[in-house]
Amino acid sequence: MGSISSSCLDSIPPLGDFFPPTPQAYAFLLNTFQYFPLITLTQWLISYHPAGKTSLQTSRLNLPGPLAWCLMEIVGPLNLIYILTTLPPAINISSLPFWNKLVAALYVIHYINRAIINPFFAAPSMSPIHAFIMVSAMAFNWFNSSCLAGWLVGYETPVTGGWKVDGRPKLRREGPQNAVQRYAPFVGVGLFVIGMLGNTYAERTLYKLRREEADRRVEERDRNEKEEKKDITSSTSSISEENEKERKKNKYHKVYVIPPTRGLFRSILYPHYVFEWLEWIGFALAGTAVFPSRKPVIPTSYATPPITLAPWLRPAAALADRFQVPLPLPAVLFVVNAVANMLPHARWGRKWYVEKFGEEGVQGRGAVVPWFKWL
């Protein structure tokens, strides 16, 4: 057992090799990150998620919602930009082809919305977020952005099975060979835009409903208080006014509503999740155009070892091989890991809606599958 542990530790590159990642560190990150779905299995069994609707109000490890959300989401784009701008000149962002830069820009645009616009400008309020959730999300985004950055600069990691997982220039020198090679990247950009617009619209709809409900409650409370005729002392009145100011200041806090059955919410409760998945599917399709403009100068001592694909990734590799396009492995990992992470949250979220508003409020809608009560 000791020898096995020692061998595993010896296979981990030195810490300095991850900042920015060398090809060997990049292969290690890919090999590790592809098994993230196994970690998410516990999320199907445990509803513990101290953030948002299910946040813990009394925990000492709570952090202000907007700040924690920004910190855990901003890690991704900052790390991606850091890696693309600090690698040697032969392989950094200035020498990359157009599609590599475009895919990087799509990722950064998404996270500007997630990390800055949503928490500080769009959301009416955000419940406290537990430090554990923030740190876990930061780790996910660091792994993800490191893998994406290594891929975008042209690191090539062979995999067992003979699949093409890197964007080899020889595929492009011969010109497009089929319709998939020619149009998949453009379709991908289109899907990304549709997904981001749908995701943003669904989230803004929820924010609007929360604002309207909070305003309605305040108006109703004010109306009821005016109708009450009670004798109150000046001291009590001042305390009441102070409490009233505090209530009005936080009137959106923990105000949640179930969206009506119309528009994007007609058949599912989490269309913003589905549209985000569509976003990253488009991102992966756009990634089929990513390839190095020239072979990067990689020291022999940092030769990238091959990895064995996890079973759930092999169908995507076979599909890419069928259409003779490079498999954008880190982008595919992003899709798979995002779905694996968000799907159980949607499942528990539907259960929360049922407990809060009853089945009559849910009206038979699924979480992400139309009219499917279990999911």
Side-chain angles (χ1 to χ4, degrees), residues 60-367:
R60 294 182 178 180
L61 294 178
N62 275 352
L63 298 169
L67 175 63
W69 189 269
C70 176
L71 291 176
M72 69 189 198
E73 297 288 348
I74 203 69
V75 166
L78 289 181
N79 186 50
L80 185 87
I81 294 171
Y82 160 73
I83 293 172
L84 295 182
T85 55
T86 56
L87 285 169
I91 53 176
N92 72 8
I93 192 170
S94 63
S95 64
L96 297 180
F98 167 78
W99 278 100
N100 299 49
K101 295 176 182 177
L102 177 61
V103 168
L106 295 178
Y107 178 86
V108 172
I109 289 170
H110 171 89
Y111 276 97
I112 288 175
N113 178 62
R114 295 281 293 173
I116 298 175
I117 297 176
N118 264 7
F120 296 115
F121 300 100
S125 71
M126 278 193 169
S127 297
I129 296 176
H130 197 278
F132 171 76
I133 297 297
M134 186 189 75
V135 172
S136 299
M138 292 174 75
F140 177 93
N141 287 324
W142 179 80
F143 262 91
N144 188 45
S145 56
S146 295
C147 291
L148 292 173
W151 163 59
L152 290 173
V153 299
Y155 286 171
E156 298 182 43
T157 302
V159 298
T160 58
W163 293 299
K164 301 177 180 68
V165 299
D166 52 67
R168 296 182 184 275
K170 66 183 181 182
L171 290 173
R172 302 296 171 181
R173 287 174 185 162
E174 299 169 357
Q177 299 175 355
N178 56 49
V180 175
Q181 291 182 4
R182 185 179 298 111
Y183 298 116
F186 298 97
V187 172
V189 173
L191 290 178
F192 182 92
V193 172
I194 293 171
M196 185 168 183
L197 291 176
N199 172 264
T200 302
Y201 179 77
E203 289 184 334
R204 298 297 190 273
T205 299
L206 290 174
Y207 296 156
K208 179 183 178 182
L209 291 172
R210 289 181 60 194
R211 287 192 178 91
E212 291 174 349
E213 176 63 16
D215 292 338
R216 186 195 64 78
R217 293 183 187 183
V218 170
E219 291 176 2
E220 182 178 1
R221 186 178 69 237
D222 290 344
R223 184 170 56 252
N224 291 338
E225 288 180 354
K226 287 180 181 179
E227 293 174 355
E228 292 177 354
K229 295 181 179 180
K230 296 181 179 179
D231 294 330
I232 50 176
T233 63
S234 59
S235 59
T236 305
S237 177
S238 65
I239 294 174
S240 177
E241 290 174 3
E242 183 178 340
N243 290 338
E244 178 67 14
K245 290 179 181 179
E246 185 62 26
R247 284 201 302 265
K248 287 186 176 180
K249 179 182 177 181
N250 300 302
K251 66 179 181 179
Y252 302 118
H253 181 65
K254 284 294 183 181
V255 175
Y256 295 106
V257 297
I258 188 165
T261 54
R262 61 173 182 262
L264 299 180
F265 296 90
R266 181 176 298 277
S267 59
I268 58 177
L269 295 166
Y270 288 85
H272 44 307
Y273 281 19
V274 176
F275 274 105
E276 183 168 345
W277 298 340
L278 180 64
E279 216 179 324
W280 298 126
I281 290 172
F283 182 81
L285 285 175
T288 59
V290 168
F291 66 100
S293 58
R294 57 180 179 274
K295 285 288 184 182
V297 181
I298 301 176
T300 305
S301 58
Y302 290 147
T304 304
I307 64 173
T308 300
L309 287 181
W312 46 86
L313 297 174
R314 294 173 188 172
L319 193 62
D321 198 48
R322 164 70 178 79
F323 291 104
Q324 292 297 297
V325 295
L327 174 67
L329 182 55
V332 172
L333 277 182
F334 193 3
V335 175
V336 172
N337 291 346
V339 174
N341 182 46
M342 297 165 70
L343 199 56
H345 289 318
R347 164 63 180 158
W348 286 111
R350 187 191 187 278
K351 184 177 180 182
W352 181 90
Y353 274 121
V354 171
E355 293 173 351
K356 184 81 170 177
F357 301 100
E359 278 290 354
E360 64 277 7
V362 175
Q363 295 183 285
R365 285 174 287 180

Side-chain angles (χ1 to χ4, degrees), residues 43 46-56 69 130 133 273 341 345:
Q43 297 174 224
I46 303 172
S47 62
Y48 177 77
H49 188 73
K53 295 189 291 289
T54 54
S55 64
L56 305 175
W69 189 269
H130 197 278
I133 297 297
Y273 281 19
N341 182 46
H345 289 318

